[in-house]
Amino acid sequence: ELKEGKEGTFKKDYYCQPLEAFVKKLDKWGEDIKELEQIIDQRLEESFYVSAIYDAQKSFLPISLQSTLTQFTSGQNKLLEQARTHLTKPTSFIKHFRDTVSEEENLSAAEKIVRTIEDRGFDPKNVQYTSIFQTKGYIGESFWVGRESEFQRVERLIEQWELGYRGSVIVSGERFSGKSLFGDIIANKYFPKRIIRLEPNTHINTDGRKWTTSYDLKEALTYVKNKARQSRSLIWLDDMELWQSPTISLSQNVRSLLEHIDTHSTQFFYMITMSKWLKNHLNKTNVFDKSFQASILLDKMSYEEIQQAILIRHGATHKVLVDEEKEEVSSEAFSKMTTSIYKSSQKNIGDALNRWAASIYQVDTEEVIFKNLGDYQLPDFLNPDSALLLSTIIKEKRTNEYRLRQLFGIAFKEKYSNILQRLISMGILKRELDGMLKIDEKIVNEVGRLLERKKYL
C-alpha cells in the first residue's frame, strides 16, 4: 500500500498470484492444442483419402456431434429468420389492406363511379379486336351459342300457330342479354321472306310496297294488316321501349299491340322484345304476360356457353392471346380468365363480351394480352329522387329533357332537372348525338340491379 508522505510497502503475493493463474491457463491451452493436433493428424490419416468414398462401411469426412449441433443451430437461425419474414408478411398484408380500406373510405361516391366507368374502357389501339365483341344485332348463326331450350320452346309455339292456335311470344331480359340476336335468328330460321320488322320512324316493305312508320304503333299495325292479308308473317318488334314520343305514350302503344294480338294472332305470329324492367312495370299496370302464349327470359347464360362465345369471337379476330412473357396462353390460363369474366358479368352474355374486350390490350399487330379489370363495384349512390329518375330512364331506355318534363311536370324544373345534370356530370347518364339521354352502357345493368335491390324497379 502506498500513501502520501510515507514510504510504500511492496506485497509480492498480491501481484504474482494473477500471473501464476494465467500461466496455468496457458499450460492448459497448450495441452488442448496438442490434443487437437493429434485429432487432426488422426483424421487426415484415417479419413482424408479419396479412396474412402468407396468404403460403404464408413462415412466420408464424418462430422462430430458438436459440429452437427453447431450447423443445426445455424440452420435454426435461418429457419427463425424465414419464420420472422413470413410472420411479417401478414402484418404487411394487413397494413396494406387497412390502407386500402382507408383510401376507399376517403373516396366519394362520384369518384368511385368515375373509377368504375374508366376501368371498363377499351384500348383505343385495339379497335379491330374490340369491334368483333361489340357488334350488335344479327351477325350470323356462327356466333350464336346456347339457348337450346329457348329455341325449342319457340319452335313448338310456331308449330302450334301453324295449326291455328294463337302465336305470340315476348322475349325479355337485362340489357345485352342477347334479345335482339335471339329474335333475329328465330326470324331468319323460321320466317324467311315473311318478316315484317316494325320500328318507329323507319321505312318498312310489305309485298313490295314501301311505307314510313311514325311512333303510332296502332297506325303501323293497321297498315300491315291491310297490306299483308294473304301472308302468314312474323311481326317482329324489337325494343318495345322505343315506341313512344311526346304525342303518343308507351302505354297507349302497348294497349294497341295487345288489342291487335287478340284479334289477329292466328294470322300473324308476334315476337316482342323489351327489358325485363319494362315488362315488370307493365305487369303492374296491365295483365301483360297473359296476352302472350309464352314469356322467355334471357338474363343468364352458363359458364360453358359464355366461354364458348368468347372463344368464337376471339378466333374471329385472328389474334394470338399471349401472357407477360409473350408466350401463347394455355387452356388452363384461358379458363381462369373466362371464369373471372363470367363472375364479374353476373352471367350476362353481353356484359361478359364487353368486359372481355375491355380486358384485352394490343401487344403488336398479331398479338394481344389479357389484363384483369379492377374489381370495382358501383357504390350505392341512390336517394329517392335520383332513383325515381333513373328507374324512369332505364324503363324507357332513351329519353330527353322534354319527355321527362312531360312526365314529372312542375317537379322537373324545381327538383329533377338539377338531379339530371348531376347524373350527367357524374358519368351515369350519357348524351347521344341526337340529344337523347341514356344510362352509360358500361354500368346500366348494375344500375338496374341496384334499383331492383332498393325496390325501385
PDB file of all heavy atoms in Angstrom, residues 299-320:
ATOM      1  N   ASP A 299     -81.949 -13.630 -69.209  1.00  0.00           N
ATOM      2  CA  ASP A 299     -80.976 -12.949 -68.340  1.00  0.00           C
ATOM      3  C   ASP A 299     -79.628 -13.653 -68.252  1.00  0.00           C
ATOM      4  O   ASP A 299     -78.581 -13.022 -68.359  1.00  0.00           O
ATOM      5  CB  ASP A 299     -81.554 -12.827 -66.922  1.00  0.00           C
ATOM      6  CG  ASP A 299     -82.127 -11.453 -66.679  1.00  0.00           C
ATOM      7  OD1 ASP A 299     -82.146 -10.648 -67.623  1.00  0.00           O
ATOM      8  OD2 ASP A 299     -82.567 -11.189 -65.547  1.00  0.00           O
ATOM      9  N   LYS A 300     -79.635 -14.964 -68.026  1.00  0.00           N
ATOM     10  CA  LYS A 300     -78.414 -15.676 -67.647  1.00  0.00           C
ATOM     11  C   LYS A 300     -77.992 -16.685 -68.708  1.00  0.00           C
ATOM     12  O   LYS A 300     -78.821 -17.236 -69.432  1.00  0.00           O
ATOM     13  CB  LYS A 300     -78.623 -16.420 -66.317  1.00  0.00           C
ATOM     14  CG  LYS A 300     -79.228 -15.570 -65.201  1.00  0.00           C
ATOM     15  CD  LYS A 300     -78.341 -14.431 -64.774  1.00  0.00           C
ATOM     16  CE  LYS A 300     -78.952 -13.648 -63.607  1.00  0.00           C
ATOM     17  NZ  LYS A 300     -78.153 -12.473 -63.237  1.00  0.00           N
ATOM     18  N   MET A 301     -76.672 -16.913 -68.748  1.00  0.00           N
ATOM     19  CA  MET A 301     -76.114 -17.992 -69.557  1.00  0.00           C
ATOM     20  C   MET A 301     -75.126 -18.770 -68.698  1.00  0.00           C
ATOM     21  O   MET A 301     -74.567 -18.247 -67.734  1.00  0.00           O
ATOM     22  CB  MET A 301     -75.409 -17.463 -70.806  1.00  0.00           C
ATOM     23  CG  MET A 301     -76.366 -16.978 -71.893  1.00  0.00           C
ATOM     24  SD  MET A 301     -75.542 -16.544 -73.437  1.00  0.00           S
ATOM     25  CE  MET A 301     -75.188 -18.181 -74.104  1.00  0.00           C
ATOM     26  N   SER A 302     -74.877 -20.023 -69.056  1.00  0.00           N
ATOM     27  CA  SER A 302     -73.962 -20.850 -68.288  1.00  0.00           C
ATOM     28  C   SER A 302     -72.517 -20.449 -68.564  1.00  0.00           C
ATOM     29  O   SER A 302     -72.213 -19.768 -69.554  1.00  0.00           O
ATOM     30  CB  SER A 302     -74.153 -22.329 -68.646  1.00  0.00           C
ATOM     31  OG  SER A 302     -73.689 -22.577 -69.971  1.00  0.00           O
ATOM     32  N   TYR A 303     -71.633 -20.885 -67.679  1.00  0.00           N
ATOM     33  CA  TYR A 303     -70.201 -20.589 -67.857  1.00  0.00           C
ATOM     34  C   TYR A 303     -69.677 -21.163 -69.164  1.00  0.00           C
ATOM     35  O   TYR A 303     -68.939 -20.495 -69.903  1.00  0.00           O
ATOM     36  CB  TYR A 303     -69.406 -21.159 -66.678  1.00  0.00           C
ATOM     37  CG  TYR A 303     -67.916 -21.189 -66.942  1.00  0.00           C
ATOM     38  CD1 TYR A 303     -67.175 -20.014 -66.998  1.00  0.00           C
ATOM     39  CD2 TYR A 303     -67.257 -22.403 -67.169  1.00  0.00           C
ATOM     40  CE1 TYR A 303     -65.813 -20.038 -67.268  1.00  0.00           C
ATOM     41  CE2 TYR A 303     -65.904 -22.437 -67.429  1.00  0.00           C
ATOM     42  CZ  TYR A 303     -65.175 -21.250 -67.475  1.00  0.00           C
ATOM     43  OH  TYR A 303     -63.834 -21.287 -67.743  1.00  0.00           O
ATOM     44  N   GLU A 304     -70.050 -22.405 -69.473  1.00  0.00           N
ATOM     45  CA  GLU A 304     -69.559 -23.049 -70.689  1.00  0.00           C
ATOM     46  C   GLU A 304     -69.996 -22.279 -71.938  1.00  0.00           C
ATOM     47  O   GLU A 304     -69.219 -22.123 -72.888  1.00  0.00           O
ATOM     48  CB  GLU A 304     -70.064 -24.494 -70.773  1.00  0.00           C
ATOM     49  CG  GLU A 304     -69.470 -25.439 -69.728  1.00  0.00           C
ATOM     50  CD  GLU A 304     -70.061 -25.259 -68.348  1.00  0.00           C
ATOM     51  OE1 GLU A 304     -71.139 -24.621 -68.225  1.00  0.00           O
ATOM     52  OE2 GLU A 304     -69.437 -25.732 -67.374  1.00  0.00           O
ATOM     53  N   GLU A 305     -71.228 -21.765 -71.930  1.00  0.00           N
ATOM     54  CA  GLU A 305     -71.732 -21.026 -73.085  1.00  0.00           C
ATOM     55  C   GLU A 305     -71.013 -19.687 -73.244  1.00  0.00           C
ATOM     56  O   GLU A 305     -70.656 -19.289 -74.362  1.00  0.00           O
ATOM     57  CB  GLU A 305     -73.246 -20.826 -72.939  1.00  0.00           C
ATOM     58  CG  GLU A 305     -74.037 -22.108 -73.103  1.00  0.00           C
ATOM     59  CD  GLU A 305     -75.488 -21.959 -72.688  1.00  0.00           C
ATOM     60  OE1 GLU A 305     -75.811 -21.001 -71.948  1.00  0.00           O
ATOM     61  OE2 GLU A 305     -76.309 -22.813 -73.087  1.00  0.00           O
ATOM     62  N   ILE A 306     -70.801 -18.991 -72.137  1.00  0.00           N
ATOM     63  CA  ILE A 306     -70.094 -17.711 -72.209  1.00  0.00           C
ATOM     64  C   ILE A 306     -68.645 -17.910 -72.627  1.00  0.00           C
ATOM     65  O   ILE A 306     -68.103 -17.154 -73.448  1.00  0.00           O
ATOM     66  CB  ILE A 306     -70.184 -16.978 -70.849  1.00  0.00           C
ATOM     67  CG1 ILE A 306     -71.605 -16.433 -70.665  1.00  0.00           C
ATOM     68  CG2 ILE A 306     -69.156 -15.850 -70.758  1.00  0.00           C
ATOM     69  CD1 ILE A 306     -71.834 -15.696 -69.369  1.00  0.00           C
ATOM     70  N   GLN A 307     -68.008 -18.947 -72.103  1.00  0.00           N
ATOM     71  CA  GLN A 307     -66.623 -19.237 -72.508  1.00  0.00           C
ATOM     72  C   GLN A 307     -66.543 -19.539 -74.005  1.00  0.00           C
ATOM     73  O   GLN A 307     -65.650 -19.053 -74.708  1.00  0.00           O
ATOM     74  CB  GLN A 307     -66.074 -20.418 -71.705  1.00  0.00           C
ATOM     75  CG  GLN A 307     -64.604 -20.710 -72.010  1.00  0.00           C
ATOM     76  CD  GLN A 307     -64.116 -21.971 -71.342  1.00  0.00           C
ATOM     77  OE1 GLN A 307     -64.715 -23.032 -71.511  1.00  0.00           O
ATOM     78  NE2 GLN A 307     -63.030 -21.878 -70.589  1.00  0.00           N
ATOM     79  N   GLN A 308     -67.497 -20.317 -74.498  1.00  0.00           N
ATOM     80  CA  GLN A 308     -67.512 -20.645 -75.926  1.00  0.00           C
ATOM     81  C   GLN A 308     -67.751 -19.402 -76.778  1.00  0.00           C
ATOM     82  O   GLN A 308     -67.125 -19.227 -77.836  1.00  0.00           O
ATOM     83  CB  GLN A 308     -68.599 -21.688 -76.208  1.00  0.00           C
ATOM     84  CG  GLN A 308     -68.574 -22.204 -77.646  1.00  0.00           C
ATOM     85  CD  GLN A 308     -69.686 -23.201 -77.922  1.00  0.00           C
ATOM     86  OE1 GLN A 308     -70.470 -23.534 -77.045  1.00  0.00           O
ATOM     87  NE2 GLN A 308     -69.757 -23.691 -79.144  1.00  0.00           N
ATOM     88  N   ALA A 309     -68.639 -18.515 -76.320  1.00  0.00           N
ATOM     89  CA  ALA A 309     -68.909 -17.282 -77.067  1.00  0.00           C
ATOM     90  C   ALA A 309     -67.658 -16.416 -77.149  1.00  0.00           C
ATOM     91  O   ALA A 309     -67.357 -15.830 -78.202  1.00  0.00           O
ATOM     92  CB  ALA A 309     -70.051 -16.513 -76.394  1.00  0.00           C
ATOM     93  N   ILE A 310     -66.919 -16.310 -76.055  1.00  0.00           N
ATOM     94  CA  ILE A 310     -65.665 -15.540 -76.055  1.00  0.00           C
ATOM     95  C   ILE A 310     -64.653 -16.180 -76.989  1.00  0.00           C
ATOM     96  O   ILE A 310     -63.983 -15.497 -77.775  1.00  0.00           O
ATOM     97  CB  ILE A 310     -65.097 -15.447 -74.624  1.00  0.00           C
ATOM     98  CG1 ILE A 310     -66.006 -14.578 -73.747  1.00  0.00           C
ATOM     99  CG2 ILE A 310     -63.673 -14.870 -74.643  1.00  0.00           C
ATOM    100  CD1 ILE A 310     -65.619 -14.568 -72.279  1.00  0.00           C
ATOM    101  N   LEU A 311     -64.559 -17.498 -76.936  1.00  0.00           N
ATOM    102  CA  LEU A 311     -63.581 -18.209 -77.761  1.00  0.00           C
ATOM    103  C   LEU A 311     -63.890 -18.052 -79.249  1.00  0.00           C
ATOM    104  O   LEU A 311     -62.976 -17.837 -80.063  1.00  0.00           O
ATOM    105  CB  LEU A 311     -63.571 -19.688 -77.376  1.00  0.00           C
ATOM    106  CG  LEU A 311     -62.475 -20.563 -78.001  1.00  0.00           C
ATOM    107  CD1 LEU A 311     -61.095 -20.039 -77.635  1.00  0.00           C
ATOM    108  CD2 LEU A 311     -62.617 -22.014 -77.551  1.00  0.00           C
ATOM    109  N   ILE A 312     -65.167 -18.134 -79.614  1.00  0.00           N
ATOM    110  CA  ILE A 312     -65.551 -17.983 -81.026  1.00  0.00           C
ATOM    111  C   ILE A 312     -65.182 -16.594 -81.540  1.00  0.00           C
ATOM    112  O   ILE A 312     -64.591 -16.443 -82.619  1.00  0.00           O
ATOM    113  CB  ILE A 312     -67.058 -18.246 -81.199  1.00  0.00           C
ATOM    114  CG1 ILE A 312     -67.364 -19.740 -80.992  1.00  0.00           C
ATOM    115  CG2 ILE A 312     -67.533 -17.805 -82.584  1.00  0.00           C
ATOM    116  CD1 ILE A 312     -68.853 -20.060 -80.957  1.00  0.00           C
ATOM    117  N   ARG A 313     -65.507 -15.570 -80.758  1.00  0.00           N
ATOM    118  CA  ARG A 313     -65.208 -14.210 -81.206  1.00  0.00           C
ATOM    119  C   ARG A 313     -63.715 -13.925 -81.197  1.00  0.00           C
ATOM    120  O   ARG A 313     -63.218 -13.222 -82.083  1.00  0.00           O
ATOM    121  CB  ARG A 313     -65.963 -13.200 -80.318  1.00  0.00           C
ATOM    122  CG  ARG A 313     -67.438 -13.107 -80.680  1.00  0.00           C
ATOM    123  CD  ARG A 313     -68.246 -12.444 -79.584  1.00  0.00           C
ATOM    124  NE  ARG A 313     -69.639 -12.275 -79.977  1.00  0.00           N
ATOM    125  CZ  ARG A 313     -70.536 -13.236 -80.014  1.00  0.00           C
ATOM    126  NH1 ARG A 313     -70.190 -14.470 -79.672  1.00  0.00           N
ATOM    127  NH2 ARG A 313     -71.778 -12.997 -80.392  1.00  0.00           N
ATOM    128  N   HIS A 314     -63.014 -14.463 -80.222  1.00  0.00           N
ATOM    129  CA  HIS A 314     -61.561 -14.286 -80.213  1.00  0.00           C
ATOM    130  C   HIS A 314     -60.935 -14.930 -81.455  1.00  0.00           C
ATOM    131  O   HIS A 314     -60.051 -14.353 -82.088  1.00  0.00           O
ATOM    132  CB  HIS A 314     -60.954 -14.900 -78.947  1.00  0.00           C
ATOM    133  CG  HIS A 314     -59.457 -14.943 -78.959  1.00  0.00           C
ATOM    134  ND1 HIS A 314     -58.679 -13.823 -78.812  1.00  0.00           N
ATOM    135  CD2 HIS A 314     -58.593 -15.986 -79.139  1.00  0.00           C
ATOM    136  CE1 HIS A 314     -57.395 -14.162 -78.892  1.00  0.00           C
ATOM    137  NE2 HIS A 314     -57.333 -15.466 -79.087  1.00  0.00           N
ATOM    138  N   GLY A 315     -61.422 -16.113 -81.810  1.00  0.00           N
ATOM    139  CA  GLY A 315     -60.909 -16.772 -83.013  1.00  0.00           C
ATOM    140  C   GLY A 315     -61.175 -15.961 -84.267  1.00  0.00           C
ATOM    141  O   GLY A 315     -60.345 -15.940 -85.189  1.00  0.00           O
ATOM    142  N   ALA A 316     -62.306 -15.259 -84.291  1.00  0.00           N
ATOM    143  CA  ALA A 316     -62.650 -14.453 -85.473  1.00  0.00           C
ATOM    144  C   ALA A 316     -61.733 -13.240 -85.636  1.00  0.00           C
ATOM    145  O   ALA A 316     -61.639 -12.677 -86.726  1.00  0.00           O
ATOM    146  CB  ALA A 316     -64.101 -13.994 -85.385  1.00  0.00           C
ATOM    147  N   THR A 317     -61.047 -12.836 -84.570  1.00  0.00           N
ATOM    148  CA  THR A 317     -60.145 -11.676 -84.663  1.00  0.00           C
ATOM    149  C   THR A 317     -58.799 -12.040 -85.276  1.00  0.00           C
ATOM    150  O   THR A 317     -58.043 -11.153 -85.675  1.00  0.00           O
ATOM    151  CB  THR A 317     -59.885 -11.079 -83.267  1.00  0.00           C
ATOM    152  OG1 THR A 317     -59.159 -12.023 -82.461  1.00  0.00           O
ATOM    153  CG2 THR A 317     -61.186 -10.712 -82.578  1.00  0.00           C
ATOM    154  N   HIS A 318     -58.476 -13.334 -85.317  1.00  0.00           N
ATOM    155  CA  HIS A 318     -57.193 -13.825 -85.839  1.00  0.00           C
ATOM    156  C   HIS A 318     -56.004 -13.247 -85.071  1.00  0.00           C
ATOM    157  O   HIS A 318     -54.920 -13.030 -85.626  1.00  0.00           O
ATOM    158  CB  HIS A 318     -57.051 -13.506 -87.333  1.00  0.00           C
ATOM    159  CG  HIS A 318     -58.162 -14.063 -88.172  1.00  0.00           C
ATOM    160  ND1 HIS A 318     -58.311 -15.416 -88.390  1.00  0.00           N
ATOM    161  CD2 HIS A 318     -59.195 -13.453 -88.802  1.00  0.00           C
ATOM    162  CE1 HIS A 318     -59.382 -15.620 -89.146  1.00  0.00           C
ATOM    163  NE2 HIS A 318     -59.944 -14.441 -89.404  1.00  0.00           N
ATOM    164  N   LYS A 319     -56.203 -12.993 -83.775  1.00  0.00           N
ATOM    165  CA  LYS A 319     -55.139 -12.519 -82.902  1.00  0.00           C
ATOM    166  C   LYS A 319     -54.692 -13.647 -81.978  1.00  0.00           C
ATOM    167  O   LYS A 319     -55.486 -14.529 -81.628  1.00  0.00           O
ATOM    168  CB  LYS A 319     -55.619 -11.342 -82.049  1.00  0.00           C
ATOM    169  CG  LYS A 319     -56.113 -10.142 -82.847  1.00  0.00           C
ATOM    170  CD  LYS A 319     -54.971  -9.349 -83.431  1.00  0.00           C
ATOM    171  CE  LYS A 319     -55.485  -8.078 -84.080  1.00  0.00           C
ATOM    172  NZ  LYS A 319     -54.400  -7.261 -84.655  1.00  0.00           N
ATOM    173  N   VAL A 320     -53.416 -13.615 -81.571  1.00  0.00           N
ATOM    174  CA  VAL A 320     -52.875 -14.604 -80.641  1.00  0.00           C
ATOM    175  C   VAL A 320     -52.890 -14.000 -79.246  1.00  0.00           C
ATOM    176  O   VAL A 320     -52.377 -12.891 -79.035  1.00  0.00           O
ATOM    177  CB  VAL A 320     -51.438 -15.011 -81.026  1.00  0.00           C
ATOM    178  CG1 VAL A 320     -50.875 -16.014 -80.019  1.00  0.00           C
ATOM    179  CG2 VAL A 320     -51.417 -15.593 -82.434  1.00  0.00           C
TER     180      VAL A 320
END
